[in-house]
Amino acid sequence: MKVVETKIYLKFISWFILVSLLPLAILFILIYIFSPQVNLLEDQEVVRAVLIAVFASLAFVFILSLIATRRLSRLITEPIQEAVLDLSKVVENLSKSIENLSDISENNSEISEFLISSSKQQQLGLKSGSVAVAGMVKSLNQIVGKTQSSAKHASDIDKLASQSESKSKLALDSLVSVKNLVTENQKLSQALDAYTKKVKNIAERVAVLADTAKFLSLNASIRANQSSSGDSFAGIVSQIRELNATSEQAAASIQSLVGDMQRQIEQVKESSQSEWEETNKSIKVVSQTIKFLSKIAGGIGIISQSINDINKSTEKTHQESDNIKTMIGNLNKESKSLVKQTDDIAQIIFKQLVVNKSLNKSSTSLNRATSTLNNLVGKQ
Amino acid sequence: MVKKQQKFILFYINDEKFAMPLLGDSQFISCDKVAILPDVDNRITGLIYHGGNIITVLNTAKFLDIKYNLPDEHNCLLFSFSKDFYGLIVDQGGETIKVNQVFTDRNKKQFKKYIKINKQKVYILETDKIMEDLKIYD
């Protein structure tokens, strides 16, 4: 017999003994109360008979109780054993479920930690993104300001280029007029050169005349000395000498004048030639400048348009960056709420862990109870 | 006793003044276009035509033995000798003067005679001497 069953038996037996002894005790008490003069203990025979009867009854009760308890225990312990078996299975399933739950809780805990760290990193990233977007917005604002000022400058340059183009055209016209004047001057100097050549020719003739007069004077002097009437020649020789001197002076003056004229004309020619060349060069330079200015004006127009496009694009980008900023703000809020929700989840997981622990405890208690029941029903 | 006056024609060559006795047909002319003659004495520059006559142009500097670059345009002092005309190349003609005295410079080998004009010696190119030196008809 098992110890548990024995205990149950002993309990039943003791109850049966009590139940069997209790009427005897009550009988003796009633006898003592209602018939105090009757002393049952004085008679040895009675005492012996009572004791035998008591012992016999006790033995009978004991046997009966044993039989009863055996039958009762069979009747009671079988469903209990089945229930305990079921309960054991349930406890095992519960333990497994608790273990799974514990694993899940651990996973949840890891996930929640990961979520917390991720959300913190996300928050940090969002903060840095927000700072970066703020910087971008600031830079874009600066770019907008600079492009606007550049557009203004380009517009001013465009105006200046247009003005300079018109002024260059005026300068070109003036230079063309100067060129025409220089050409006229050249023609004039050429005409003067021709006149000078003519005057030079005349001067040469005058020089020849002077030479002739000189020879005439010398030869007249010779003839005067050869002839016997030399004194009568003296007046003529003197006049011829005067003529010679005058013609020499005239020739010298004319030659000097021609020389001066020629020099001046040469200078004028050279200067007009250099002026003409310089004017031509200036015209070329101004023409090239006008072309360059036209190109610059065209380029500046394109640049201005590009700057305007850049400005528009920058403004759009600015708006988009504002939208990004707003989105980042919203994301930040969502991240904060996510962090809050993650905190809530962590708390829930913590509570789950607490529940797990209590479940574990309950499971342990249940195991204990099951084992107690097993003990009670006589199974281990 | 009255000294006989002699007449000389002055001329300049290489900035020096010289004199030639006044002869018949003496005159100054311009002699630019000189026709060069081959195989002649180097003192004969060439020939020119003037007044219907062929004139032999003589290089005066060669006779005087002075360094002289013959200019492109030069003048000649014409004179006649033995019915031929000659021309002495001169830079510039001068006056015709009368002198009372002719001097002789014994230190010189040729053209020793000279006259004095304003106390300056002016050597005389004597045509006889020139023709004698030239030996044109030998």
Side-chain angles (χ1 to χ4, degrees):
Chain A
M1 190 178 279
K2 293 173 184 173
V3 177
V4 178
E5 283 181 347
T6 309
K7 283 179 182 177
I8 290 167
Y9 291 158
L10 286 171
K11 282 178 183 177
F12 270 96
I13 288 163
S14 54
W15 271 106
F16 271 105
I17 290 166
L18 277 173
V19 168
S20 62
L21 287 175
L22 195 63
L24 284 172
I26 291 165
L27 184 66
F28 276 110
I29 290 163
L30 286 172
I31 292 167
Y32 182 73
I33 292 166
F34 290 106
S35 301
Q37 69 276 8
V38 179
N39 194 358
L40 293 173
L41 294 172
E42 286 177 357
D43 190 354
Q44 289 293 326
E45 290 291 328
V46 173
V47 170
R48 198 178 292 154
V50 168
L51 285 170
I52 290 164
V54 166
F55 279 116
S57 69
L58 282 171
F60 184 70
V61 167
F62 184 71
I63 291 160
L64 281 175
S65 66
L66 277 174
I67 293 161
T69 51
R70 197 165 184 90
R71 286 192 177 178
L72 274 169
S73 69
R74 279 181 187 170
L75 284 170
I76 295 162
T77 54
E78 277 180 2
I80 289 169
Q81 276 178 347
E82 286 174 2
V84 165
L85 279 171
D86 292 336
L87 195 62
S88 295
K89 285 178 184 174
V90 168
V91 165
E92 280 178 6
N93 289 327
L94 185 65
S95 294
K96 284 178 184 175
S97 299
I98 286 163
E99 281 176 3
N100 290 329
L101 194 64
S102 185
D103 291 339
I104 289 162
S105 294
E106 282 177 4
N107 286 330
N108 281 339
S109 180
E110 286 173 0
I111 288 162
S112 69
E113 282 175 4
F114 175 72
L115 274 170
I116 286 165
S117 65
S118 296
S119 60
K120 281 177 181 172
Q121 285 177 357
Q122 194 182 0
Q123 216 167 6
L124 286 170
L126 285 167
K127 278 179 184 174
S128 61
S130 183
V131 170
V133 167
M136 196 166 77
V137 167
K138 198 178 174 186
S139 301
L140 283 166
N141 280 330
Q142 287 176 353
I143 289 164
V144 165
K146 284 180 181 175
T147 47
Q148 279 174 351
S149 65
S150 300
K152 196 180 173 187
H153 289 158
S155 172
D156 292 343
I157 291 164
D158 197 17
K159 283 177 188 171
L160 282 170
S162 303
Q163 287 174 0
S164 59
E165 199 177 345
S166 62
K167 283 179 182 174
S168 300
K169 278 177 183 170
L170 282 172
L172 188 65
D173 292 341
S174 303
L175 281 168
V176 169
S177 303
V178 170
K179 191 184 171 186
N180 293 332
L181 281 171
V182 169
T183 310
E184 291 297 322
N185 195 13
Q186 273 185 329
K187 284 178 184 173
L188 187 64
S189 69
Q190 280 173 358
L192 278 170
D193 198 29
Y195 287 130
T196 308
K197 279 177 184 169
K198 284 178 184 175
V199 173
K200 194 180 174 185
N201 192 17
I202 291 163
E204 281 171 1
R205 285 181 185 181
V206 170
V208 170
L209 184 68
D211 284 342
T212 310
K214 191 178 175 183
F215 287 136
L216 183 63
S217 161
L218 292 169
N219 293 332
S221 174
I222 290 166
R223 288 287 170 269
N225 282 293
Q226 280 173 343
S227 69
S228 55
S229 56
D231 294 335
S232 60
F233 271 99
I236 297 166
V237 169
S238 171
Q239 284 177 352
I240 290 168
R241 277 181 185 163
E242 280 178 14
L243 174 67
N244 179 32
T246 309
S247 58
E248 269 185 344
Q249 283 174 3
S253 300
I254 289 166
Q255 275 182 341
S256 169
L257 182 67
V258 167
D260 291 343
M261 276 175 72
Q262 224 166 4
R263 273 198 298 278
Q264 284 178 356
I265 286 163
E266 283 298 322
Q267 284 176 359
V268 168
K269 268 170 80 176
E270 283 174 7
S271 63
S272 65
Q273 183 66 28
S274 64
E275 275 174 15
W276 193 79
E277 284 171 3
E278 288 297 322
T279 311
N280 262 343
K281 280 181 189 173
S282 301
I283 285 166
K284 280 181 185 174
V285 169
V286 171
S287 300
Q288 285 177 353
T289 309
I290 287 165
K291 282 180 186 173
F292 283 137
L293 281 169
S294 300
K295 283 182 184 175
I296 288 164
I300 284 166
I302 293 164
I303 289 164
S304 182
Q305 202 175 346
S306 301
I307 287 167
N308 281 327
D309 293 342
I310 290 165
N311 201 9
K312 283 175 185 173
S313 301
T314 313
E315 279 176 2
K316 280 181 184 174
T317 314
H318 188 254
Q319 287 173 0
E320 284 171 4
S321 71
D322 281 342
N323 293 333
I324 290 165
K325 199 178 173 182
T326 312
M327 281 168 69
I328 283 172
N330 293 331
L331 277 171
N332 204 5
K333 283 177 187 173
E334 284 179 9
S335 165
K336 280 178 183 174
S337 69
L338 187 68
V339 167
K340 198 178 173 184
Q341 284 175 4
T342 310
D343 285 338
D344 293 344
I345 288 164
Q347 283 178 2
I348 289 160
I349 287 163
F350 181 71
K351 284 177 183 175
Q352 197 178 356
L353 281 169
V354 171
V355 169
N356 271 343
K357 281 179 184 173
S358 66
L359 274 170
N360 270 326
K361 280 182 184 175
S362 301
S363 171
T364 312
S365 302
L366 199 61
N367 270 327
R368 214 180 292 138
T370 311
S371 60
T372 308
L373 277 171
N374 274 326
N375 285 332
L376 281 170
V377 293
K379 280 195 175 179
Q380 286 187 339
Chain B
M1 181 184 162
V2 179
K3 286 186 180 177
K4 190 185 175 185
Q5 281 187 329
Q6 287 182 298
K7 293 178 182 175
F8 292 94
I9 303 167
L10 299 177
F11 61 90
Y12 297 85
I13 186 162
N14 212 18
D15 294 330
E16 281 189 55
K17 196 187 278 183
F18 293 94
M20 194 183 82
L22 179 65
L23 301 170
D25 302 324
S26 292
Q27 60 176 307
F28 287 103
I29 59 164
S30 175
C31 49
D32 298 331
K33 296 171 183 176
V34 179
I36 307 295
L37 292 171
D39 301 328
V40 291
D41 193 305
N42 63 355
R43 288 170 294 184
I44 298 169
T45 303
L47 300 173
I48 58 165
Y49 175 78
H50 177 74
N53 298 308
I54 301 295
I55 295 150
T56 305
V57 178
L58 304 173
N59 192 337
T60 315
K62 295 277 184 190
F63 287 101
L64 293 168
D65 199 17
I66 54 174
K67 286 184 180 175
Y68 179 68
N69 292 322
L70 201 66
D72 294 333
E73 291 180 4
H74 42 265
N75 303 318
C76 285
L77 174 57
L78 284 189
F79 64 93
S80 62
F81 185 82
S82 302
K83 296 181 182 175
D84 290 324
F85 289 94
Y86 298 91
L88 283 170
I89 291 172
V90 298
D91 285 340
Q92 199 178 342
E95 296 174 1
T96 305
I97 57 164
K98 294 173 186 175
V99 292
N100 294 322
Q101 195 175 358
V102 175
F103 303 94
T104 304
D105 187 349
R106 299 195 182 276
N107 294 324
K108 286 191 77 174
K109 289 180 182 177
Q110 58 178 357
F111 304 115
K112 293 177 181 178
K113 290 182 177 177
Y114 67 92
I115 55 173
K116 280 187 176 177
I117 300 168
N118 298 328
K119 296 179 182 178
Q120 275 191 335
K121 286 181 181 177
V122 178
Y123 286 96
I124 301 162
L125 267 77
E126 291 164 305
T127 51
D128 298 341
K129 183 70 179 165
I130 289 166
M131 290 300 140
E132 191 183 331
D133 286 350
L134 195 59
K135 294 174 182 174
I136 199 165
Y137 298 111
D138 289 346

